[in-house]
Amino acid sequence: MLKDITIGQYFPGSSPVHRMDPRFKLIMTLLFIAMLFMGQHLYSICFGIVFCILALALSRIPVKLIWKSIKPLIPVLLITAILDLFMVDSGDVYLHWHFLKITAGGVRTAVLMVTRIIVLLAGSSLLTYTTSPIALTDAIERLLSPLKKLHVPVHTFAMMMTISLRFIPTLLEETDKIMTAQKARGASFSEGNLLQRAKALVPILVPLLVSSFHRAEELATAMECRCYRGETGRTKMRQLHAAGRDYAAMAVTLLLFAGAGAVKIIFSGEFAWN
């Protein structure tokens, strides 16, 4: 169900990851993503897996919560694995039937890609799980503050990104309610050909679009009632201050990032299991 997707939600807590400076968490998340896509060797992903395991352990976020965010994407993972399995033609041939061929390169690529996506979802979701929308807005604004000299509306950009993340769960919940209501009226979204299924989504998209505009208008009215005028004259109740744990976590992340880079240089040739 769509309501099981937890992407974009914030779960309050007092773990070391919750107490970290959001600026450091944002930079570490970007390094983590770069770590996963840096090399094409299985060893490169191992550094990202180590980072993900450490972050999960320190954040005290239940594993079942992470699984809820990955579970709805299992069909996408399966399709990705199947495409890589049959489209990559390199290495020893394991199976050859008519035009279908499974090779060692296809198996390696499929395993690599699926593992990479799962670890990416599990690790990057911790950013929103452990960081409040307000703290995330402040972090993005502070990191992009040098662009203010170029007259870039940094505050507006940060606010837009945070609001978008915040309303992902809301829109998913609204979509689930609309689909349930349409099914109660006899609608079917899993029958017929591809074109018929696409047409069946119209009764969902139209009310969802209307609801999104209503929510946007309500949010704008609420912000105006609270005298929100953008960055002009705006102060912050909580200032961001880095602590020793932030620098220690960044140091560990940089070491893992350097390790992934070293693996990319050493194993710059063909992908191998060993």
Side-chain angles (χ1 to χ4, degrees):
M1 300 293 289
L2 293 176
K3 62 182 179 181
D4 292 333
I5 300 179
T6 56
I7 297 176
Q9 295 186 16
Y10 168 63
F11 298 91
S14 58
S15 70
V17 179
H18 282 83
R19 298 195 301 268
M20 283 183 60
D21 190 311
R23 294 172 296 178
F24 282 75
K25 286 193 282 187
L26 190 58
I27 295 175
M28 290 165 59
T29 300
L30 295 176
L31 289 175
F32 164 68
I33 296 174
M35 201 184 305
L36 290 177
F37 289 90
M38 181 179 295
Q40 297 298 321
H41 198 283
L42 187 62
Y43 292 157
S44 300
I45 299 183
C46 290
F47 290 92
I49 294 175
V50 171
F51 176 91
C52 184
I53 293 175
L54 290 175
L56 286 173
L58 293 174
S59 66
R60 300 171 189 169
I61 296 293
V63 178
K64 64 179 181 181
L65 193 61
I66 303 296
W67 170 247
K68 287 177 65 177
S69 64
I70 297 176
K71 185 179 178 180
L73 299 177
I74 289 180
V76 178
L77 296 176
L78 291 176
I79 294 174
T80 302
I82 292 174
L83 290 177
D84 290 331
L85 197 63
F86 291 106
M87 296 299 293
V88 178
D89 185 6
S90 63
D92 299 333
V93 178
Y94 295 149
L95 176 65
H96 191 188
W97 182 72
H98 295 286
F99 62 91
L100 297 178
K101 183 188 296 185
I102 298 179
T103 62
V107 174
R108 298 180 193 124
T109 305
V111 173
L112 181 71
M113 186 58 65
V114 172
T115 304
R116 178 181 287 165
I117 295 175
I118 292 176
V119 177
L120 175 64
L121 292 173
S124 59
S125 59
L126 289 178
L127 177 64
T128 54
Y129 286 166
T130 61
T131 311
S132 65
I134 295 178
L136 191 59
T137 301
D138 292 343
I140 296 174
E141 184 177 356
R142 290 288 295 275
L143 290 175
L144 298 180
S145 57
L147 296 178
K148 293 180 181 179
K149 297 181 179 180
L150 301 177
H151 303 287
V152 176
V154 174
H155 177 79
T156 303
F157 175 73
M159 181 64 70
M160 289 171 55
M161 288 188 61
T162 307
I163 291 176
S164 300
L165 288 173
R166 167 61 185 84
F167 275 89
I168 289 177
T170 304
L171 293 177
L172 291 175
E173 182 180 357
E174 189 73 20
T175 304
D176 188 73
K177 290 181 180 179
I178 295 174
M179 291 183 65
T180 303
Q182 295 292 349
K183 289 180 180 179
R185 293 175 174 86
S188 177
F189 305 103
S190 58
E191 297 180 358
N193 54 35
L194 184 60
L195 182 60
Q196 292 174 338
R197 293 184 183 182
K199 290 181 178 180
L201 294 177
V202 175
I204 298 177
L205 297 178
V206 173
L208 182 62
L209 184 62
V210 173
S211 175
S212 300
F213 278 109
H214 285 168
R215 290 185 182 276
E217 185 177 4
E218 292 174 357
L219 178 62
T221 303
M223 295 173 71
E224 289 181 355
C225 291
R226 290 165 174 79
C227 300
Y228 177 78
R229 295 295 182 270
E231 187 181 8
T232 305
R234 185 176 179 84
T235 60
K236 300 183 185 299
M237 184 176 67
R238 297 180 180 178
Q239 299 295 328
L240 299 179
H241 298 288
R245 59 175 175 268
D246 301 316
Y247 293 106
M250 179 61 71
V252 173
T253 304
L254 290 175
L255 286 175
L256 292 174
F257 183 80
V263 169
K264 176 179 175 58
I265 296 174
I266 296 173
F267 298 97
S268 58
E270 184 180 358
F271 178 93
W273 294 102
N274 47 35

